[in-house]
Amino acid sequence: YPPERVRNFSIIAHVDHGKSTLADRLLELTGTIQKGHGQPQYLDKLQVERERGITVKAQTATMFYRHTTASLDSDAPRYLLNLIDTPGHVDFSYEVSRSLAACQGALLVVDAAQGVQAQTIANFYLAFESNLSIIPVINKIDQPTADPDNVKDQLKRLFDIDPSEALLTSAKTGKGLEQVLPAVIERIPSPPGKCDSPVRMLLLDSYYDEYKGVICHVAVVDGALRKGDKIASASTGRAYEVLDVGIMHPELTPTGVLYTGQVGYVISGMRSTKEARIGDTLHQAKSTVEPLPGFKPAKHMVFSGLYPADGSDFEALSHAIEKLTCNDASVSVTKETSNALGMGFRCGFLGLLHMDVFHQRLEQEYGAQVISTIPTVPYIFEYGDGSKVQVENPAALASNPGKRVVACWEPTVIATIIIPSEYVGPVIMLCSERRGEQLEYTFIDAQRALLKYRLPLKEIIVDFYNELKGITSGYATFDYEDSEYQQSDLVKMDILLNGQPVDAMATIVHNQKAQRVGRELVEKLKKFIESLSAMRKNVLAKCYGGDITRKKKLLEKQKEGKKRMKRVGSVDIPQEAFHELLKVS
Ligand code: GTP
């Protein structure tokens, strides 16, 4: 397949607008997967993705398609199409921009009933800034409330997209799907690149497979890559031999070669994914090539301590974290020690959902029992002597530093919120309660308003989204992008248990909120500890007679429960307390 017969494209959409379903239909349409293969959403492979119905890790698949312009043209040329699936959630926009770097076009999927939502806007701009050809797809036209004309008006008003360009589809009934791949071929340019130059490719993703070792997903920009070739990494200089090369069709399918413009996989004897830096350029060994523009490195905006629920499990947790970060290089990990929780790790995440997903994967895929501390953001404190520190762990900030704090800064975000207009009042109240500053208030159609706010990141990482959904009956959609640091009146808050500070519960809060947050935290904590001792007393109360096995079982259960607790001072704190406490701070 010469580059003219290759198309690389992505599907971008607001969460739940039908991106994964559409991807499945396209894979079926081209015979890449069997119809009704039992597992819906082929590209959502991780267990958490299936459970939560969200895409976390972008996956890629290659399809072959015969493009017939006239109706029955058996000599019609075949095309090789690379579909790069992208996550829809805000936390993973890093993965989105990574996927877009290998594409020349994108299908912008919008739900015909819900219309343009917050992530539609964010994803549109990511694609637009990458100079991609954008094909608008108005999906779910089978729904009774579908209003494709209104969506066309929104696309025109917000993105200046000509209404005649929009494709109308239902990924559920199959209506309109036959227009999608012809539009991909006709409207998206083929990949640029020099066929007869030495090979140069972009490393899109990498993961570790127990049997095959490190598998890299690559986009070949120039030249061709063959089995047996010697390649080198532009960032480390290390050289490798290509042991296997092929396409994802949709499983790994060896082809022995990848040509200019193609997307596929390479196995080259790398020992660990640390050698496979995402965004790196791989090139023909011993040739000097210009590295491709890489990706922006992932920014860690939410930090939390992760500790084994049972102190003796430190090694197990350490092993699980190492394995998992092999496949999710966007998490940063450093060791830390807490006097309350023992040895553990401080991890940096792209956002709150990213943290939740990581936590859930640790438990589900590695059976790790984890206690996580209250999430925090990277603050900056400046002292009287001119020195500055970035604080990723509030406990590490000395309560009495001995030098005067002259200024504090916190990261902010620009949030976009789209809501039916009747909810504007409560949303404005919520945002100002969260210390937001209004930047924009417009209407995107007769019923929907768009609000833009600058908000401190800390205010949105804890329960903002749930509250927003709650006060708008689930209608609000929300997205944010990182913005600058702003100066703020921040204080460190310690929680004392029996007179002793619990370092794992230390937080940094805004001065004006310290009183209220502190009160709420302590009241919650008290309730937990009380209900816990009541439960402990009761454990055998329901056990009549002398059934010793039943008694044993209950005591076993209690022991299990105890494992998930931490003794601080002279008080046991249940793991759940840490989880629950995050919700008020
Ligand atoms: P994320 O992976 O979370 O970003 O979501 P997504 O955009 O991939 O959405 P997904 O494909 O998971 O679809 C969300 C829901 O919409 C699922 O329940 C689908 O069955 C449903 N759905 C998808 N396409 C259509 C459609 O054309 N019509 C109707 N009625 N429902 C659809």
Side-chain angles (χ1 to χ4, degrees):
Y1 288 86
E4 308 83 78
R5 295 278 188 78
V6 176
R7 298 290 183 274
N8 296 325
F9 69 104
S10 237
I11 305 183
I12 52 178
H14 185 79
V15 169
D16 273 353
H17 282 193
K19 184 181 60 222
S20 303
T21 314
L22 179 67
D24 272 3
R25 293 294 98 79
L26 298 180
L27 292 173
E28 282 171 12
L29 210 81
T30 52
T32 315
I33 56 172
Q34 295 295 310
K35 213 173 176 164
H37 50 77
Q39 278 206 319
Q41 304 190 340
Y42 185 80
L43 295 168
D44 287 350
K45 282 185 189 154
L46 299 174
Q47 190 186 349
V48 283
E49 294 183 324
R50 287 194 206 286
E51 272 179 24
R52 294 180 178 224
I54 50 158
T55 309
V56 172
K57 204 119 173 91
Q59 303 277 352
T60 298
T62 297
M63 308 178 266
F64 296 95
Y65 180 68
R66 194 180 289 283
H67 181 41
T68 45
T69 29
S71 54
L72 277 173
D73 182 358
S74 58
D75 291 333
R78 294 219 314 161
Y79 284 79
L80 186 153
L81 309 176
N82 293 308
L83 164 60
I84 299 174
D85 193 30
T86 56
H89 192 274
V90 287
D91 280 7
F92 303 103
S93 58
Y94 165 70
E95 294 250 348
V96 179
S97 64
R98 174 200 304 182
S99 316
L100 296 184
C103 297
Q104 285 72 46
L107 300 173
L108 178 70
V109 176
V110 185
D111 182 312
Q114 289 187 11
V116 169
Q117 295 295 346
Q119 284 142 44
T120 318
I121 298 186
N123 285 328
F124 170 83
Y125 283 108
L126 279 178
F128 186 73
E129 283 157 16
S130 311
N131 282 323
L132 302 192
S133 304
I134 293 165
I135 303 176
V137 177
I138 301 178
N139 187 38
K140 303 201 191 184
I141 53 166
D142 59 286
Q143 297 178 106
T145 49
D147 188 353
D149 286 336
N150 184 39
V151 179
K152 283 183 188 172
D153 287 345
Q154 293 177 351
L155 292 173
K156 173 84 187 128
R157 191 180 305 195
L158 289 162
F159 311 133
D160 202 24
I161 288 177
D162 183 342
S164 68
E165 287 177 16
L167 306 179
L168 304 187
T169 65
S170 165
K172 187 173 170 190
T173 67
K175 199 161 179 221
L177 291 183
E178 70 289 345
Q179 318 156 60
V180 178
L181 294 177
V184 166
I185 289 168
E186 285 158 18
R187 299 196 211 164
I188 296 176
S190 50
K194 292 178 234 97
C195 299
D196 35 16
S197 297
V199 71
R200 192 165 68 132
M201 59 201 149
L202 189 60
L203 207 164
L204 294 173
D205 201 358
S206 67
Y207 63 97
Y208 186 80
D209 178 282
E210 232 170 280
Y211 302 103
K212 300 191 173 89
V214 176
I215 300 176
C216 297
H217 287 182
V218 295
V220 178
V221 175
D222 294 320
L225 179 74
R226 290 186 175 76
K227 190 172 168 174
D229 279 356
K230 299 268 190 303
I231 53 169
S233 146
S235 70
T236 66
R238 279 196 217 177
Y240 304 93
E241 180 179 334
V242 177
L243 306 174
D244 186 13
V245 52
I247 55 174
M248 284 78 81
H249 184 54
E251 303 297 344
L252 303 186
T253 310
T255 56
V257 59
L258 280 176
Y259 293 105
T260 312
Q262 294 187 1
V263 174
Y265 74 90
V266 184
I267 299 173
S268 62
M270 288 182 183
R271 294 255 167 73
S272 130
T273 45
K274 294 201 177 83
E275 290 176 56
R277 279 200 16 213
I278 289 157
D280 193 5
T281 302
L282 298 175
H283 58 88
Q284 186 182 310
K286 295 192 180 134
S287 71
T288 41
V289 295
E290 174 125 344
L292 295 156
F295 306 102
K296 278 186 286 179
K299 252 203 266 167
H300 301 113
M301 296 314 284
V302 179
F303 291 83
S304 165
L306 294 185
Y307 291 85
D310 180 347
S312 61
D313 283 349
F314 176 77
E315 287 306 322
L317 178 64
S318 166
H319 183 69
I321 289 183
E322 191 178 327
K323 275 257 165 112
L324 198 50
T325 47
C326 263
N327 282 335
D328 187 353
S330 50
V331 178
S332 74
V333 183
T334 46
K335 282 200 181 128
E336 75 173 15
T337 313
S338 143
N339 55 22
L341 300 174
M343 286 219 287
F345 299 91
R346 177 126 301 244
C347 298
F349 304 95
L350 307 175
L352 204 63
L353 177 70
H354 185 210
M355 179 177 83
D356 273 359
V357 166
F358 188 80
H359 199 143
Q360 197 179 337
R361 289 185 70 186
L362 272 179
E363 297 204 329
Q364 275 174 351
E365 294 170 31
Y366 297 94
Q369 298 277 320
V370 187
I371 289 180
S372 55
T373 62
I374 298 172
T376 183
V377 300
Y379 295 104
I380 293 173
F381 280 70
E382 184 183 341
Y383 296 104
D385 60 6
S387 62
K388 279 186 187 170
V389 285
Q390 172 156 325
V391 182
E392 289 161 8
N393 178 5
L397 187 72
S399 300
N400 296 301
K403 34 186 183 178
R404 204 165 47 88
V405 173
V406 287
C408 321
W409 282 271
E410 62 180 337
T412 67
V413 298
I414 306 284
T416 304
I417 300 168
I418 293 184
I419 31 169
S421 31
E422 64 264 35
Y423 297 108
V424 165
V427 171
I428 288 182
M429 264 173 55
L430 172 69
C431 289
S432 59
E433 198 260 317
R434 300 283 181 135
R435 302 190 280 130
E437 172 200 348
Q438 194 180 90
L439 303 176
E440 194 179 321
Y441 174 13
T442 43
F443 287 88
I444 61 170
D445 64 24
Q447 284 94 38
R448 271 172 271 228
L450 182 156
L451 290 172
K452 256 194 184 170
Y453 268 86
R454 174 185 300 283
L455 284 152
L457 176 61
K458 175 67 200 260
E459 296 286 343
I460 62 161
I461 63 166
V462 177
D463 221 29
F464 178 78
Y465 190 50
N466 279 346
E467 205 160 309
L468 181 66
K469 282 276 182 193
I471 59 171
T472 60
S473 316
Y475 283 115
T477 62
F478 163 69
D479 196 3
Y480 63 85
E481 56 183 309
D482 296 335
S483 187
E484 61 226 32
Y485 271 72
Q486 75 180 11
Q487 209 165 340
S488 191
D489 185 10
L490 302 170
V491 289
K492 179 183 177 188
M493 185 168 74
D494 279 319
I495 303 281
L496 309 187
L497 250 181
N498 269 2
Q500 282 186 34
V502 187
D503 60 355
M505 287 189 178
T507 50
I508 289 170
V509 284
H510 192 265
N511 208 354
Q512 279 171 8
K513 289 190 163 187
Q515 270 272 346
R516 184 173 61 73
V517 171
R519 232 171 252 287
E520 279 179 45
L521 264 168
V522 171
E523 261 157 33
K524 257 202 161 160
L525 185 59
K526 184 164 163 255
K527 243 192 246 154
F528 260 103
I529 293 169
E530 277 169 0
S531 68
L532 194 84
S533 37
M535 197 179 80
R536 185 151 345 131
K537 275 189 211 120
N538 273 337
V539 68
L540 291 176
K542 280 196 227 125
C543 195
Y544 313 106
D547 184 351
I548 189 74
T549 52
R550 186 160 150 65
K551 230 179 225 177
K552 257 193 187 153
K553 253 192 203 155
L554 285 170
L555 288 167
E556 274 300 309
K557 231 178 164 180
Q558 192 190 24
K559 215 163 107 198
E560 257 314 292
K562 268 196 177 159
K563 262 195 190 169
R564 296 173 76 101
M565 292 203 285
K566 286 289 160 190
R567 180 158 278 260
V568 177
S570 51
V571 188
D572 282 334
I573 307 175
Q575 179 181 3
E576 286 72 23
F578 284 92
H579 286 303
E580 278 306 306
L581 283 168
L582 343 163
K583 294 190 178 154
V584 290
S585 57

